[in-house]
Amino acid sequence: MTQLLDDTDRSVFATDEELLHRVLTPYRAKRCEYLTSATVTSEGDPRDGGRLSAACTFEIPESCYIDDTGHFNSVEFNICFNQMAYYLMAKSVKESLVEPFSRWTLDQFWTRQLADVFITDFKSTFRKAMRGRRFKGEIEIVDIAEWDANDLREALVILRTRCHYADEHGGESHGEVTAAVTNPPVI
Amino acid sequence: MSKAERPGLPDGVREVDIEHLYSRFADRGLQYGPAFRGLRSVWSHGEEVYADSALDSTAGGDDYLLHPALLDTALQAALVPDLERDDRTFLPFALRGIRVHRTGVRAVRIHTVPGDGGVSLALTGDDGEPVATVGTLVRRAVTADQLDAAAQRTQLLRVAWKSVVQQSDHADQLHWGFLGTDRIGLTGALKATRRSFDSYPSLSELDSVLREGTSVPDVVVVSCTDEDSPVRSAAQRALMLVQEWLADDRLAKSRLVLVSSGAVAARAEEDLSDVSGAAVWGLLRSAQSEHPGRFVLVDVDDPGNSGRALVAAVASDEPQLAVRQGSLLRPRLVRCPPPQGRKSLTGTVVITGGTGALGRLFARHLVTRHDVKHLVLLSRRGPDAPGAAELVAELDELGARADVIACDAADRPSLERALAGIPAPSAVIHTAGVLADAAVGTLTPRGLDKVLRPKVDAALHLHELIRDPDCVFVMFSSVAGLAGNAGQANYAAANAVLDALAHHRRTHGLQGMSLAWGLWESEGGMGSDLSAADRNRMKRSGFAPLGYDQGLALFDVALSGDDAVLSPVRLNEAGLTGDIPAVLEELAPARTGKHGVTDTLVSRLADLPDDERDAAAVEFVRAVAATVLGYDSADDIDPDREFGEIGLDSIGNLELSRHLAAATGLRLPATLVFDHPTPAGLASHLRQLLQESNS
């Protein structure tokens, strides 16, 4: 469902359950499908001062890799970030929200989702420990740099993002993450 | 004060309107600021002048024997009779026999009396007792052109490529590598020259080799000229490479040498075949400013034989070089004498960015100071641009028709449509441009495109569409492209392309001029985006903002020149002494001892046969004048053009006289240059004086 607000170029996309299911497929066998909803807001191109973001909810019934630590740790921060980022990219492809994803097909995205998306820079800050099993998160794309291929380097898409998590007990963490997408489709 | 209240005035005096007086001074180019508008009342009596003057209460300066602003009012009073009878502008030129009788005075009565060879001045207090007297004030007439020339003295620059003495081959022990695809045939030349040489087809290959433990190359060469590469691709590739290079700590002590062929014109007649490569030069100049010592730019004329020259280039430690016939040349901005004559634009003139701050400024200028009757102002918003309707009305009132057309000049079909609907233009002025500043390490392809599009895309479309060899083709670029402003790699790249395009057009029989402006003192133009910190940085870099009038005057002067690229700027010479880009080094004031100034004319003439001495004397005067003016060589000094016209001001006159006095051993008067205003005339006079002193 799309809600296009009058007199602005702002579009809001409620959770696309089918898409979410597909995005989380790689996590299913490992029992770490943490992302439960994602509302995407698109308001212009982030490269021109616009905003592309997803407001998300998460649930972590039990950690997929360690006994219960009692708090949201950096590995979970990373997994949750990945799930938000994958979903936001997939939705951008599906709804043609921003270049270069608007030029891709979803099939092209699915073949690249795991093999060609790399975190190149990761900064996480934990202000106050988050202890709830359920919490909220947000990802915002700050900039997208689309680098062409040449003799020196393959083509590359660089996403600069900000993310933020909070639970109802006042726990809070945030971060800045840069991701690189290699092997972008040649169009 | 009426005559009745002012003692000492003779019968028949006529009171002069003070406000009117200062506006008449201003009309002649003498614009006095508030502190110097000290005349309170003026009366003329034939050739004599009576005046009362006083210092402003804020003037301060109690330490002076006689406050300069107060003395200046007496000089102003002495100029009044000239205003009445002559269209020329007179300036106080020399003062003789000055005596100060009383100090600390803040108000005086003035009486000027014409006499033999000048005017005498008497300054008295309210009590009639003398404050100061000047035996003779000598005035001299100057023309408006001379005043203009003086105002422009240091503001028109051009790039001169100068020889670099090649170092002995101490770089021979360095380990060299070549990165990427060799499209111009450099590797063969390098392999022949270097004992230690590796090739890395890509950055990932270089990374792999370094991970394997191979020693890090000291110098990595990459080719930047590719005939098939559009500007955007060449610039983006260079930007990517710069960022990868800076991000890799293993390469922190290595130098990256970016080699092009035909991306710069080291001589006016050279064809600049690689316009895209010019973007690399612009971008890298900024990268060099931000990261000194990491990058070297070299343009070679014969890539297959450039091995030895490239080694010498790296050994030279110069950041930018051209290799021509095996010789190394480095770019230096130098002062350029104002071209002679004046070109007036006529007919239909197209201006891109026509409703922007500069577009509007130049639209008015072309109508009021040139003979343009039809303007086509292109802008993306066209008639909807703020102030467009008012501008059209204003130009209409000034007698010109202005069509404001909504046209994105960077969009070829849009530009074609706009040009198809108008008469063939006699001139095109491409002023459009935007800023999107970022450090080179964080600049993105989008940030690059944002600046390249309105400047470069539009310029290239105009270049393709304007093929009339008589159509004047002026592009507004920026000194940022020549100096490589930090934080403006995209802007520098775009402007370097415009500079290159101007060269390129000329070698193909078309008109082309790129004006690499310094910062404008603008409101609402691109300069207004700059923060106070940016302006301060710019000031420290040796440039000061150009006023509108200064810029317009420089445009008129540059237009009559024959250079592809001229840089109209206001120099802040005090800012040229610190840590500045190498290309600006020679702009620092050169007031003493360069070539020949310490030499003596006498000994030089003594070694020559008589029939060669006149020419040698002229050469000598030209060389000294070039040194005083900071020009590149004596060739810039026309022997028959007046010193005032080529920018010699009163301080310069004194310096020239001083140098010549030292070189001849003669006592020369302060009026020397004024009395003999051309190099040829002055040389002839010196010869005569020397002969007299020998006989």
Side-chain angles (χ1 to χ4, degrees), chain B residues 146 639-644 672-682:
Chain B
Q146 284 173 318
D640 298 316
R641 219 173 150 197
E642 293 199 1
F643 289 110
L672 175 78
V673 177
F674 195 87
D675 296 332
H676 305 279
T678 66
L682 180 53

Side-chain angles (χ1 to χ4, degrees), chain B residues 110-296:
Chain B
I110 299 159
H111 182 201
T112 78
V113 181
D116 195 19
V119 179
S120 68
L121 310 177
L123 286 69
T124 53
D126 282 348
D127 52 8
E129 291 299 313
V131 172
T133 49
V134 176
T136 314
L137 161 68
V138 181
R139 295 151 302 144
R140 292 287 196 239
V142 290
T143 63
D145 285 347
Q146 284 173 318
L147 279 180
D148 282 350
Q152 292 150 8
R153 191 168 94 86
T154 59
Q155 295 166 355
L156 213 49
L157 311 177
R158 68 172 172 226
V159 177
W161 290 81
K162 303 191 163 189
S163 292
V164 177
V165 177
Q166 299 197 15
Q167 308 286 313
S168 58
D169 196 2
H170 73 258
D172 200 42
Q173 302 307 314
L174 299 180
H175 174 200
W176 285 51
F178 187 91
L179 173 63
T181 305
D182 180 16
R183 293 194 180 84
I184 54 174
L186 286 168
T187 40
L190 284 168
K191 276 180 187 159
T193 317
R194 308 302 313 154
R195 281 197 293 274
S196 176
F197 183 85
D198 289 313
S199 284
Y200 320 103
S202 66
L203 282 162
S204 63
E205 291 281 341
L206 173 60
D207 175 65
S208 302
V209 169
L210 296 183
R211 279 177 198 283
E212 286 164 11
T214 306
S215 67
V216 179
D218 302 298
V219 179
V220 175
V221 177
V222 62
S223 162
C224 291
T225 285
D226 172 10
E227 281 179 6
D228 302 326
S229 185
V231 169
R232 191 171 267 92
S233 304
Q236 199 198 101
R237 177 176 178 265
L239 176 62
M240 178 276 294
L241 179 56
V242 165
Q243 293 187 352
E244 290 274 5
W245 191 263
L246 293 172
D248 194 333
D249 289 341
R250 296 170 301 182
L251 300 168
K253 291 185 175 160
S254 304
R255 263 186 294 175
L256 182 63
V257 183
L258 297 99
V259 182
S260 60
S261 184
V264 295
R267 298 283 179 261
E269 63 280 5
E270 280 180 14
D271 183 17
L272 202 152
S273 54
D274 182 19
V275 172
S276 298
V280 177
W281 271 71
L283 191 143
L284 260 295
R285 282 171 175 153
S286 286
Q288 288 174 334
S289 295
E290 293 182 37
H291 304 276
R294 302 295 309 276
F295 306 105
V296 182

Side-chain angles (χ1 to χ4, degrees), chain B residues 483-683:
Chain B
N485 287 3
Q488 294 195 309
N490 46 4
Y491 194 55
N495 288 304
V497 172
L498 301 197
D499 297 348
L501 186 59
H503 273 290
H504 181 72
R505 281 181 65 85
R506 279 171 177 251
T507 50
H508 288 79
L510 300 168
Q511 303 226 15
M513 175 175 278
S514 187
L515 296 179
W517 294 103
L519 179 67
W520 284 83
E521 206 169 63
S522 67
E523 293 296 330
M526 285 197 294
S528 65
D529 293 338
L530 299 178
S531 66
D534 289 332
R535 284 177 193 280
N536 279 336
R537 197 177 59 225
M538 189 105 178
K539 204 172 163 189
R540 284 201 308 275
S541 74
F543 297 105
L546 269 172
Y548 279 164
D549 287 345
Q550 290 172 315
L552 292 170
L554 285 169
F555 172 82
D556 290 345
V557 173
L559 204 57
S560 53
D562 194 31
D563 288 81
V565 181
L566 284 172
S567 185
V569 298
R570 241 183 90 200
L571 287 176
N572 169 34
E573 295 189 349
L576 285 167
T577 52
D579 186 16
I580 53 169
V583 72
L584 304 180
E585 276 172 0
E586 295 196 7
L587 292 174
R591 294 302 194 193
T592 52
K594 238 171 37 179
H595 42 86
V597 170
T598 54
D599 196 1
T600 78
L601 179 59
V602 180
S603 64
R604 188 176 290 197
L605 296 182
D607 296 337
L608 290 172
D610 199 48
D611 59 348
E612 293 178 20
R613 288 179 182 167
D614 282 342
V618 174
E619 277 310 297
F620 189 83
V621 171
R622 290 171 72 199
V624 176
T627 302
V628 170
L629 282 163
Y631 288 169
D632 192 29
S633 79
D635 294 342
D636 286 330
I637 307 291
D638 184 334
D640 298 316
R641 219 173 150 197
E642 293 199 1
F643 289 110
E645 277 183 62
I646 56 171
L648 203 71
D649 60 11
S650 54
I651 302 291
N653 281 346
L654 290 175
E655 281 183 48
L656 182 60
S657 299
R658 192 161 50 78
H659 284 307
L660 292 174
T664 55
L666 295 168
R667 265 193 78 173
L668 298 170
T671 55
L672 175 78
V673 177
F674 195 87
D675 296 332
H676 305 279
T678 66
L682 180 53

